[in-house]
Amino acid sequence: MPPVKLEASVDIKPVENGNAKEHVTLPLKGLETIEPLVRSVEETPEQISTEVQGTIPSWINGNLLRNGPGKFEFGDTHYNHWFDGMAMLHRFNINQGQVTYMSRFLQSDSYRKNSESDRIVVSEFGTLAMPDPCKNFFQRFLSRFEMIDSTDNASVSFVKYKGDYYVSTETNFMHRVNPENVETLGQVDWSKFIAVNGATAHPHSDPDGTTYNMGNSYGSKGALYNIIRVPPEKTDAKETLEGAKILCSIVPANKSHPSYYHSFAMSENYVVFIEQPIKMDLLKIVTCKLRGKALSEGIYWDPKQETVFHLVDKRTGEVSAIKYHTKAISTFHQINAFEEDGFLMVDLCCADDGAAINNYLIQNLRKSGEALDEVYNTLSRPLPRRFVLPLHVTSDTPIDQNLNTRPSSTATCVKIGKDKVFCQHENLHGDDLFEYGGLEFPQINYGRCNTRPYRYFYGCGFRHLVGDSLLKMDLKDKSLKVWYQKGFFPSEPVFVPSPDATDEDDGVILSVILTPSQDKGTFLLVLDAKTFEELARAYVPVNMAYGFHGTFSASA
């Protein structure tokens, strides 16, 4: 089936922004309600068959693993934020053109304690657990002076360390998972191996299996950003993080108000940390229980702060003295980063404000009509952009002139001080992307292109509060291929390369499609990654909530 164009266009108008011409979109009206996509669903622990329409290539053999919230209340208590729902793990097994499906709730301590009490007893990002009503007044009063325990509700992503699969969030807890049946195998605490209070759900790996991540640490003198390196060798099957080291620590611009970050970038020789103006007020966070507020109340957007790129040498841990600044932007996901001709290209999805993290309340996602339109129209669109960072800036580098000598790039980078370079981005898209609401959940042919020059990336168009189209961007001419059908909401696209691939885009795109207007209308979509034409659908007779991230685990 060929890609379907949107039935109605979005009016676009240009605005001048420095050396780049940006566009803004006029407000949308009549968004379809997505309330069923943020509703609790039942798990399917026994494998079930699917109905396949079309032809799935016979060479695809493995599991598409997906993670995201699946339960939004216990008893009469309800979660407030999309990030808070209890993790549900999904497995689509693809073998010889056939697909089976199963799902399970992650057996975390949070899930178990909430289930036993039939109410929310473990606080999450946007939900503060209330004191036990069975305690007397004095006990409830004293409980407000206790620190909030970190949740182990690892609902964000599937990650891999030393060959083992884990689900993770942004706290210090992960869970090892069997990819063949998504059973929970055991909890792992980062803090038992390394002095950090958490880690991102988006690590990066080198070809030899060395894995890098980031995690904050908090002490009496404030916060530190830590770059983590996990060696590829497994010394003990039960201790996957054995040998993890802090490669280096970076001091925040404000130790009591460090930046929030969801991920980071990595090139062949550098880890790139982006310190953005989404800030965490540590005093508000540590006193949130006392104040009766959720942890999310301590996170805010400060548009007066510039965004700073920090470069760390992966071999030595040395932090570059040169800091690369740009205007205030927010970013959750990087696309790729690579070095070429003495420059470091950092490609990421970013927005011009940081309101999104606090706008994804359950009550907003469940709105309809004009109220839903109003929520969507307050959000800044996520757009793919490239920043070009010169790597060889010295005392002899001229000031106040563009150092980007690449004729194919409109990005600028200007030395404006002894150790400061100011960068303005290049758009990695054409005007047609605005019709689809920007792009998020970016993916590339990771095994072939991560840390290297590349041509294609994939993502979801967000002409809604969640993804409502699948997009393929060709960086050669910034042209766009689109899969869209009204009323269908695709998950993050996962690229699976064909075994005999010669071109970068030889393979398929896998995405789970949800249909809020149809009961149990879920299906796994298989697209030809090169043409973006539909190859097959595998219909799954279950309802799912809209999730976050996943991965493909190839069978031996």
Side-chain angles (χ1 to χ4, degrees):
M1 183 179 296
V4 179
K5 290 289 288 182
L6 288 171
E7 295 180 353
S9 297
V10 181
D11 290 331
I12 301 168
K13 57 182 180 180
V15 294
E16 295 297 328
N17 178 22
N19 70 333
K21 181 175 284 187
E22 301 286 357
H23 292 78
V24 295
T25 54
L26 298 181
L28 284 176
K29 296 181 180 180
L31 291 177
E32 176 184 357
T33 181
I34 55 170
E35 188 274 338
L37 304 187
V38 284
R39 183 189 296 165
S40 294
V41 294
E42 299 294 326
E43 63 181 357
T44 308
E46 300 298 327
Q47 180 173 277
I48 60 173
S49 299
T50 69
E51 177 188 345
V52 176
Q53 293 183 0
T55 302
I56 299 175
S58 60
W59 54 262
I60 305 176
N61 184 20
N63 297 313
L64 174 65
L65 304 171
R66 293 276 305 152
N67 194 355
K71 187 173 178 61
F72 297 95
E73 69 283 315
F74 286 90
D76 295 329
T77 58
H78 301 261
Y79 290 114
N80 299 322
H81 201 283
W82 187 25
F83 299 170
D84 298 345
M86 292 291 98
M88 176 174 271
L89 314 181
H90 308 266
R91 188 215 68 170
F92 295 83
N93 178 258
I94 308 172
N95 186 21
Q96 295 297 312
Q98 298 301 310
V99 179
T100 59
Y101 169 80
M102 66 190 315
S103 64
R104 298 179 192 272
F105 282 109
L106 177 69
Q107 297 301 301
S108 62
D109 287 349
S110 299
Y111 180 82
R112 178 179 53 80
K113 291 176 181 177
N114 294 334
S115 298
E116 290 173 353
S117 299
D118 195 30
R119 68 181 187 90
I120 296 171
V121 298
V122 179
S123 296
E124 299 290 339
F125 173 75
T127 305
L128 179 68
M130 290 295 101
D132 187 347
C134 294
K135 292 182 178 180
N136 62 38
F137 173 81
F138 185 64
Q139 290 172 320
R140 294 199 302 273
F141 174 75
L142 288 180
S143 71
R144 290 192 175 273
F145 294 88
E146 299 170 355
M147 286 288 292
I148 289 181
D149 293 329
S150 293
T151 179
D152 67 337
N153 177 37
S155 63
V156 177
S157 187
F158 272 88
V159 297
K160 199 173 182 180
Y161 293 97
K162 301 183 181 181
D164 290 333
Y165 283 89
Y166 289 79
V167 288
S168 63
T169 178
E170 296 178 343
T171 70
N172 53 302
F173 295 112
M174 300 191 300
H175 291 270
R176 191 157 65 93
V177 173
N178 183 343
E180 295 303 321
N181 58 16
V182 287
E183 286 188 348
T184 307
L185 299 179
Q187 185 195 85
V188 175
D189 183 350
W190 275 96
S191 65
K192 291 184 178 179
F193 299 90
I194 194 169
V196 294
N197 296 96
T200 82
H202 294 285
H204 280 293
S205 297
D206 277 337
D208 68 353
T210 301
T211 305
Y212 295 83
N213 209 330
M214 286 194 62
N216 281 2
S217 57
Y218 305 103
S220 58
K221 296 183 179 181
L224 291 173
Y225 311 120
N226 301 294
I227 310 297
I228 305 165
R229 181 165 57 196
V230 181
E233 300 83 12
K234 183 184 293 187
T235 57
D236 187 327
K238 295 182 180 179
E239 303 293 355
T240 304
L241 297 181
E242 196 73 50
K245 303 285 187 185
I246 291 179
L247 181 64
C248 74
S249 298
I250 300 170
V251 179
N254 184 333
K255 288 185 177 182
S256 62
H257 291 249
S259 289
Y260 167 83
Y261 55 91
H262 182 72
S263 60
F264 61 98
M266 187 180 83
S267 68
E268 181 181 2
N269 295 297
Y270 297 93
V271 169
V272 185
F273 167 55
I274 303 169
E275 189 173 20
Q276 62 184 344
I278 301 178
K279 298 295 184 179
M280 300 188 294
D281 186 326
L282 297 187
L283 179 60
K284 284 188 175 181
I285 288 173
V286 299
T287 61
C288 62
K289 195 170 183 180
L290 177 62
R291 296 182 298 108
K293 300 289 186 179
L295 183 149
S296 59
E297 297 282 338
I299 297 180
Y300 66 98
W301 168 250
D302 184 357
K304 299 185 296 295
Q305 299 293 319
E306 292 182 341
T307 301
V308 183
F309 295 78
H310 300 269
L311 272 57
V312 177
D313 189 306
K314 286 161 62 176
R315 296 160 297 184
T316 66
E318 181 181 359
V319 183
S320 172
I322 305 298
K323 303 302 178 187
Y324 303 87
H325 291 239
T326 192
K327 66 176 185 177
I329 58 170
S330 64
T331 180
F332 289 92
H333 302 109
Q334 283 71 56
I335 304 169
N336 199 8
F338 61 93
E339 302 155 44
E340 193 172 68
D341 303 327
F343 295 92
L344 173 58
M345 271 57 72
V346 182
D347 298 349
L348 57 127
C349 294
C350 55
D352 292 322
D353 68 38
I357 195 169
N358 283 324
N359 279 356
Y360 277 93
L361 299 172
I362 295 294
Q363 65 186 37
N364 287 339
L365 292 167
R366 290 178 175 171
K367 288 180 177 178
S368 61
E370 292 182 359
L372 178 61
D373 297 344
E374 183 179 354
V375 172
Y376 176 79
N377 288 318
T378 63
L379 299 178
S380 181
R381 306 295 174 257
L383 298 170
R385 296 169 175 171
R386 171 169 293 175
F387 294 86
V388 177
L389 315 183
L391 290 172
H392 306 300
V393 178
T394 68
S395 57
D396 297 326
T397 301
I399 292 179
D400 295 333
Q401 72 179 52
N402 183 16
L403 303 177
N404 182 15
T405 57
R406 298 166 60 85
S408 62
S409 173
T410 59
T412 64
C413 42
V414 178
K415 182 182 176 184
I416 60 174
K418 177 183 177 182
D419 55 6
K420 182 176 180 180
V421 174
F422 192 85
C423 302
Q424 289 185 310
H425 67 267
E426 169 191 359
N427 291 326
L428 296 183
H429 62 87
D431 291 349
D432 52 352
L433 180 61
F434 292 97
E435 187 177 349
Y436 300 95
L439 183 148
E440 251 294 355
F441 291 157
Q443 291 285 314
I444 62 173
N445 183 342
Y446 192 91
R448 175 168 172 162
C449 299
N450 184 48
T451 76
R452 303 178 182 94
Y454 70 115
R455 179 173 172 179
Y456 304 105
F457 63 90
Y458 312 87
C460 284
F462 270 68
R463 197 174 180 263
H464 212 298
L465 291 177
V466 297
D468 75 333
S469 60
L470 293 169
L471 308 176
K472 175 187 180 181
M473 185 67 70
D474 184 344
L475 290 175
K476 185 176 181 180
D477 57 6
K478 297 180 181 176
S479 62
L480 195 63
K481 283 185 168 65
V482 180
W483 182 94
Y484 169 84
Q485 291 191 13
K486 183 176 176 56
F488 291 173
F489 293 83
S491 70
E492 169 191 65
V494 173
F495 178 85
V496 183
S498 62
D500 54 353
T502 55
D503 294 333
E504 179 186 328
D505 58 349
D506 282 344
V508 300
I509 291 293
L510 303 178
S511 178
V512 181
I513 312 297
L514 305 184
T515 54
S517 61
Q518 302 176 34
D519 184 49
K520 300 182 179 179
T522 305
F523 61 90
L524 174 65
L525 176 69
V526 185
L527 297 180
D528 183 313
K530 185 178 290 290
T531 66
F532 239 48
E533 293 182 352
E534 188 170 317
L535 298 176
R537 300 180 178 188
Y539 285 91
V540 189
V542 300
N543 291 317
M544 296 184 196
Y546 197 90
F548 301 126
H549 300 289
T551 190
F552 184 77
S553 167
S555 297

